Amino acid sequence: MAFVAPSSAMLWKGGCCTFAARSMVPPVRMFRTHRSSFKSPLLPSNTCSFMPQSSFNSVLVVASLLCNGGVQGMSMSSSAGVEKGGKFIQLDGFAKRQWDPTYKGLVVTSMTQEALEAKVNELYWEKEELVDGYAPFCKHIFVPNFLEGARAEAAPITEQNKHLLLSGYEARKPEELPVLSRWFPKDKVEAPLATHLDLILYSRDQINKETAAMGREVPAGEAPPWGLISIKAQLVDSEIPMQPITMMRNALGKKEGGSGVPMERAKYDASVEYWSK
């Protein structure tokens, strides 16, 4: 499996991907790409994910694929303190990178930042539900893709295209440690149009802690309880597994650009197995 830089896509051996994430077929390899409007999808057969790469005008591919053997737990979120219909979710600066044409990931071109933030809040208030993420401070909202032209970050890895793979060290932002990644040139391999979006949220408290740890000033005043930190375009309505290097970065702590969540060896081993195939 191969994974694309900041996001993840999945590949299933045998070509079976389930949208409900109830019974996932064994993963195969996949790659994520740099640049292009798509984020971590789940594709049947050997798939690889894509993300644009500024310098090469290519898509970054990273190996990763975890079998997620069950449906993500739904948790009713607390909207306390926010008037119904108000701003419960704020577009975070980390996600605003996705409007930069040089961003190595899903680049949003069909909506302004203000319009997308309003849309996300509208979607939240329809059900007032958030899906649990990898830590208590992380939540998800899975919705049908509403971004025109957004493509998934995975595509098949075959004997015919594996020679196109490139590699290099990449960091999502200057303060982070660069990590080794692989990618397909964007003009050589094209990923499918995404069917779903994974809207990833971090709690206000976690965002403030990471901001301070990176040496940046924490904004004063009241702010919505949740921040939208990433938008992933994919082919499933459930969470795509985290790549091994992301788990490792998180374990290194907030000063290195991670979340500070300790690594779980079993999950890491499963991730390695997934992205190695």
Side-chain angles (χ1 to χ4, degrees):
M1 309 283 272
F3 173 84
V4 195
S7 203
S8 58
M10 304 176 76
L11 249 186
W12 305 107
K13 190 177 289 182
C16 175
C17 67
T18 62
F19 288 84
R22 277 192 176 275
S23 68
M24 311 287 255
V25 179
V28 180
R29 41 184 189 182
M30 75 201 238
F31 277 69
R32 299 183 100 181
T33 47
H34 262 231
R35 187 87 196 248
S36 205
S37 48
F38 42 110
K39 275 221 165 218
S40 101
L42 188 53
L43 301 179
S45 262
N46 296 359
T47 359
C48 58
S49 49
F50 297 80
M51 266 180 157
Q53 190 204 22
S54 54
S55 54
F56 298 107
N57 184 34
S58 53
V59 260
L60 170 66
V61 185
V62 187
S64 130
L65 180 53
L66 264 198
C67 254
N68 189 359
V71 180
Q72 284 292 102
M74 283 298 236
S75 66
M76 291 302 293
S77 63
S78 171
S79 304
V82 179
E83 182 180 354
K84 188 173 178 63
K87 186 185 289 188
F88 184 69
I89 300 167
Q90 181 179 56
L91 183 65
D92 186 68
F94 196 69
K96 290 181 179 179
R97 304 172 304 156
Q98 296 187 238
W99 275 261
D100 181 350
T102 65
Y103 174 62
K104 299 177 177 67
L106 167 64
V107 176
V108 180
T109 59
S110 60
M111 297 182 77
T112 64
Q113 295 179 5
E114 295 74 17
L116 187 135
E117 182 180 80
K119 177 68 174 180
V120 170
N121 277 281
E122 176 187 329
L123 292 169
Y124 166 72
W125 288 113
E126 286 179 2
K127 296 183 178 180
E128 294 188 50
E129 290 180 349
L130 298 177
V131 178
D132 292 334
Y134 75 102
F137 57 75
C138 178
K139 303 293 182 182
H140 300 261
I141 298 178
F142 298 102
V143 296
N145 178 26
F146 57 78
L147 294 177
E148 183 180 351
R151 290 184 176 276
E153 296 171 0
I157 301 171
T158 67
E159 290 297 319
Q160 290 68 42
N161 65 23
K162 68 180 184 180
H163 67 283
L164 298 172
L165 288 173
L166 301 177
S167 63
Y169 288 89
E170 298 286 335
R172 298 173 300 180
K173 50 189 179 183
E175 301 91 341
E176 291 186 346
L177 289 176
V179 296
L180 185 62
S181 304
R182 295 188 297 173
W183 65 88
F184 276 132
K186 177 182 144 188
D187 60 343
K188 301 295 184 181
V189 182
E190 184 176 59
L193 291 172
T195 58
H196 291 79
L197 297 178
D198 177 3
L199 307 174
I200 305 176
L201 313 179
Y202 267 21
S203 68
R204 180 58 50 197
D205 181 60
Q206 179 67 17
I207 290 174
N208 289 344
K209 287 178 178 178
E210 293 190 16
T211 297
M214 298 296 282
R216 299 192 300 271
E217 183 178 356
V218 176
E222 292 296 321
W226 293 92
L228 174 63
I229 58 105
S230 185
I231 307 158
K232 294 167 59 178
Q234 51 191 56
L235 300 180
V236 292
D237 62 354
S238 57
E239 183 178 7
I240 297 300
M242 187 181 293
Q243 63 172 318
I245 193 62
T246 301
M247 292 182 182
M248 189 172 294
R249 189 204 299 277
N250 283 339
L252 287 175
K254 300 178 182 66
K255 289 185 177 181
E256 303 299 346
S259 63
V261 174
M263 184 185 300
E264 294 184 43
R265 183 57 184 267
K267 290 183 177 180
Y268 182 83
D269 288 345
S271 179
V272 168
E273 179 180 1
Y274 177 94
W275 290 104
S276 296
K277 297 180 179 178

mmCIF file of all heavy atoms in Angstrom, residues 140-157:
data_model
loop_
_atom_site.group_PDB
_atom_site.id
_atom_site.type_symbol
_atom_site.label_atom_id
_atom_site.label_comp_id
_atom_site.label_asym_id
_atom_site.label_seq_id
_atom_site.Cartn_x
_atom_site.Cartn_y
_atom_site.Cartn_z
ATOM 1 N N HIS A 140 -15.204 13.633 13.400
ATOM 2 C CA HIS A 140 -15.409 13.646 11.948
ATOM 3 C C HIS A 140 -16.858 13.930 11.592
ATOM 4 O O HIS A 140 -17.769 13.609 12.360
ATOM 5 C CB HIS A 140 -15.066 12.283 11.337
ATOM 6 C CG HIS A 140 -13.657 11.838 11.549
ATOM 7 N ND1 HIS A 140 -12.671 11.979 10.583
ATOM 8 C CD2 HIS A 140 -13.059 11.243 12.603
ATOM 9 C CE1 HIS A 140 -11.535 11.480 11.052
ATOM 10 N NE2 HIS A 140 -11.750 11.028 12.271
ATOM 11 N N ILE A 141 -17.043 14.493 10.411
ATOM 12 C CA ILE A 141 -18.366 14.597 9.797
ATOM 13 C C ILE A 141 -18.184 14.040 8.396
ATOM 14 O O ILE A 141 -17.372 14.561 7.609
ATOM 15 C CB ILE A 141 -18.872 16.051 9.713
ATOM 16 C CG1 ILE A 141 -19.018 16.652 11.117
ATOM 17 C CG2 ILE A 141 -20.213 16.098 8.987
ATOM 18 C CD1 ILE A 141 -19.470 18.115 11.112
ATOM 19 N N PHE A 142 -18.890 12.958 8.060
ATOM 20 C CA PHE A 142 -18.794 12.350 6.734
ATOM 21 C C PHE A 142 -20.026 12.753 5.921
ATOM 22 O O PHE A 142 -21.157 12.563 6.376
ATOM 23 C CB PHE A 142 -18.708 10.830 6.846
ATOM 24 C CG PHE A 142 -17.492 10.360 7.602
ATOM 25 C CD1 PHE A 142 -17.605 9.938 8.928
ATOM 26 C CD2 PHE A 142 -16.243 10.347 7.005
ATOM 27 C CE1 PHE A 142 -16.477 9.519 9.637
ATOM 28 C CE2 PHE A 142 -15.113 9.932 7.709
ATOM 29 C CZ PHE A 142 -15.236 9.512 9.020
ATOM 30 N N VAL A 143 -19.776 13.310 4.748
ATOM 31 C CA VAL A 143 -20.886 13.788 3.916
ATOM 32 C C VAL A 143 -20.613 13.485 2.442
ATOM 33 O O VAL A 143 -19.447 13.297 2.044
ATOM 34 C CB VAL A 143 -21.081 15.308 4.076
ATOM 35 C CG1 VAL A 143 -21.476 15.664 5.487
ATOM 36 C CG2 VAL A 143 -19.807 16.061 3.669
ATOM 37 N N PRO A 144 -21.655 13.428 1.626
ATOM 38 C CA PRO A 144 -21.445 13.258 0.183
ATOM 39 C C PRO A 144 -20.601 14.431 -0.321
ATOM 40 O O PRO A 144 -20.707 15.554 0.182
ATOM 41 C CB PRO A 144 -22.867 13.291 -0.381
ATOM 42 C CG PRO A 144 -23.701 12.771 0.744
ATOM 43 C CD PRO A 144 -23.094 13.387 1.974
ATOM 44 N N ASN A 145 -19.771 14.176 -1.297
ATOM 45 C CA ASN A 145 -18.889 15.212 -1.825
ATOM 46 C C ASN A 145 -19.675 16.376 -2.421
ATOM 47 O O ASN A 145 -20.497 16.190 -3.306
ATOM 48 C CB ASN A 145 -17.978 14.601 -2.901
ATOM 49 C CG ASN A 145 -17.068 15.635 -3.528
ATOM 50 O OD1 ASN A 145 -16.738 16.644 -2.922
ATOM 51 N ND2 ASN A 145 -16.663 15.390 -4.768
ATOM 52 N N PHE A 146 -19.415 17.577 -1.930
ATOM 53 C CA PHE A 146 -20.075 18.772 -2.472
ATOM 54 C C PHE A 146 -19.058 19.725 -3.116
ATOM 55 O O PHE A 146 -19.403 20.839 -3.490
ATOM 56 C CB PHE A 146 -20.878 19.506 -1.389
ATOM 57 C CG PHE A 146 -20.083 19.931 -0.184
ATOM 58 C CD1 PHE A 146 -19.265 21.055 -0.217
ATOM 59 C CD2 PHE A 146 -20.152 19.194 0.994
ATOM 60 C CE1 PHE A 146 -18.539 21.451 0.891
ATOM 61 C CE2 PHE A 146 -19.425 19.580 2.122
ATOM 62 C CZ PHE A 146 -18.624 20.713 2.076
ATOM 63 N N LEU A 147 -17.810 19.273 -3.257
ATOM 64 C CA LEU A 147 -16.775 20.102 -3.870
ATOM 65 C C LEU A 147 -16.574 19.687 -5.331
ATOM 66 O O LEU A 147 -16.095 18.577 -5.614
ATOM 67 C CB LEU A 147 -15.462 19.964 -3.104
ATOM 68 C CG LEU A 147 -15.461 20.518 -1.678
ATOM 69 C CD1 LEU A 147 -14.118 20.240 -1.009
ATOM 70 C CD2 LEU A 147 -15.756 22.015 -1.678
ATOM 71 N N GLU A 148 -16.925 20.553 -6.214
ATOM 72 C CA GLU A 148 -16.814 20.256 -7.642
ATOM 73 C C GLU A 148 -15.374 19.925 -8.040
ATOM 74 O O GLU A 148 -14.438 20.640 -7.710
ATOM 75 C CB GLU A 148 -17.311 21.461 -8.450
ATOM 76 C CG GLU A 148 -17.309 21.255 -9.946
ATOM 77 C CD GLU A 148 -17.814 22.467 -10.692
ATOM 78 O OE1 GLU A 148 -18.320 23.400 -10.043
ATOM 79 O OE2 GLU A 148 -17.692 22.480 -11.937
ATOM 80 N N GLY A 149 -15.211 18.807 -8.733
ATOM 81 C CA GLY A 149 -13.895 18.424 -9.237
ATOM 82 C C GLY A 149 -12.974 17.761 -8.230
ATOM 83 O O GLY A 149 -11.854 17.379 -8.570
ATOM 84 N N ALA A 150 -13.410 17.592 -6.975
ATOM 85 C CA ALA A 150 -12.547 16.985 -5.956
ATOM 86 C C ALA A 150 -12.293 15.519 -6.284
ATOM 87 O O ALA A 150 -13.223 14.750 -6.494
ATOM 88 C CB ALA A 150 -13.199 17.109 -4.580
ATOM 89 N N ARG A 151 -11.036 15.144 -6.325
ATOM 90 C CA ARG A 151 -10.660 13.764 -6.654
ATOM 91 C C ARG A 151 -10.098 13.038 -5.439
ATOM 92 O O ARG A 151 -9.497 13.631 -4.557
ATOM 93 C CB ARG A 151 -9.631 13.742 -7.786
ATOM 94 C CG ARG A 151 -10.219 14.149 -9.121
ATOM 95 C CD ARG A 151 -9.209 14.025 -10.245
ATOM 96 N NE ARG A 151 -9.844 14.341 -11.519
ATOM 97 C CZ ARG A 151 -10.544 13.480 -12.245
ATOM 98 N NH1 ARG A 151 -10.660 12.218 -11.836
ATOM 99 N NH2 ARG A 151 -11.108 13.832 -13.373
ATOM 100 N N ALA A 152 -10.301 11.734 -5.440
ATOM 101 C CA ALA A 152 -9.802 10.896 -4.350
ATOM 102 C C ALA A 152 -8.279 10.868 -4.401
ATOM 103 O O ALA A 152 -7.674 11.158 -5.423
ATOM 104 C CB ALA A 152 -10.371 9.495 -4.488
ATOM 105 N N GLU A 153 -7.681 10.456 -3.296
ATOM 106 C CA GLU A 153 -6.225 10.423 -3.237
ATOM 107 C C GLU A 153 -5.661 9.030 -3.423
ATOM 108 O O GLU A 153 -4.599 8.722 -2.917
ATOM 109 C CB GLU A 153 -5.756 10.981 -1.897
ATOM 110 C CG GLU A 153 -6.126 12.437 -1.726
ATOM 111 C CD GLU A 153 -5.858 12.905 -0.322
ATOM 112 O OE1 GLU A 153 -5.390 12.099 0.487
ATOM 113 O OE2 GLU A 153 -6.121 14.063 -0.048
ATOM 114 N N ALA A 154 -6.313 8.197 -4.140
ATOM 115 C CA ALA A 154 -5.796 6.843 -4.343
ATOM 116 C C ALA A 154 -6.026 6.367 -5.761
ATOM 117 O O ALA A 154 -6.996 6.761 -6.404
ATOM 118 C CB ALA A 154 -6.450 5.886 -3.364
ATOM 119 N N ALA A 155 -5.112 5.532 -6.231
ATOM 120 C CA ALA A 155 -5.225 4.970 -7.568
ATOM 121 C C ALA A 155 -4.444 3.666 -7.591
ATOM 122 O O ALA A 155 -3.552 3.457 -6.778
ATOM 123 C CB ALA A 155 -4.667 5.941 -8.603
ATOM 124 N N PRO A 156 -4.783 2.777 -8.513
ATOM 125 C CA PRO A 156 -4.118 1.464 -8.559
ATOM 126 C C PRO A 156 -2.607 1.549 -8.778
ATOM 127 O O PRO A 156 -2.118 2.370 -9.529
ATOM 128 C CB PRO A 156 -4.797 0.777 -9.735
ATOM 129 C CG PRO A 156 -6.106 1.487 -9.866
ATOM 130 C CD PRO A 156 -5.820 2.911 -9.508
ATOM 131 N N ILE A 157 -1.874 0.674 -8.123
ATOM 132 C CA ILE A 157 -0.430 0.547 -8.307
ATOM 133 C C ILE A 157 -0.250 -0.749 -9.097
ATOM 134 O O ILE A 157 -0.602 -1.819 -8.622
ATOM 135 C CB ILE A 157 0.310 0.426 -6.969
ATOM 136 C CG1 ILE A 157 0.034 1.651 -6.119
ATOM 137 C CG2 ILE A 157 1.809 0.246 -7.210
ATOM 138 C CD1 ILE A 157 0.540 1.506 -4.702
#
